Amino acid sequence: MSIIHRATLVPSKLDAIAAWIPTQEWAAQSDTTGLEAVGAYRFDDPAGDVGVETHLVRTASGTVFQVPLTYRSAPLDGAEAYLVATMDHSVLGTRWVYDGVGDPVYVTVTTAAIVDGAEQAELVVHSPDGSRTVRESTTRVRGTGGHPSTSPRLYVRRVIDATATELPHLSGTWPGQEAPIPLVELHP
């Protein structure tokens, strides 16, 4: 179960992503203007310390990018190259936001989801009045299950396409994409 606080974020997640994507080599050949949120999914950090959320965003020209993020209450040692932004969270305070591929928590929980055939976390929204509600995820994901090699490499498809894979992977659907598409693979 992923806990989400009803809060204000500055900058917003979409604003932070929109500022960061044009600086990435994998987006260099794409038009990165007019980004809109398409969907998102979360996994739980077993220790409960790190938020793990992946965003799917679409450009004005229709390209869909996948952006895995982690949210931390303090900087991650040695991960300066993966820092996407710092955010001011009205409930939790300053959050350091990292590209998930550079955060060991993202790598661990995503690999586990693929190997275990798991789905995205249930989203529980905590309101300032203390009430809790379950929110439906905008993106449905599921791992294929399987046994990776002893030291698998996690490969995140940054630019989403429908290319099939025989490797253990995480596939997903979201509004407008009803057939499951591979999103993350485990390479030997």
Side-chain angles (χ1 to χ4, degrees), residues 1-4 40-45 52 118-124 134-137 139-141:
M1 165 181 45
S2 243
I3 297 172
I4 301 170
Y41 61 94
R42 286 182 171 256
F43 291 123
D44 290 328
D45 169 13
V52 179
E119 295 183 340
Q120 73 283 341
E122 178 181 56
L123 305 176
V124 178
V134 174
R135 184 171 78 193
E136 189 70 28
S137 182
T139 302
R140 309 292 299 176
V141 297

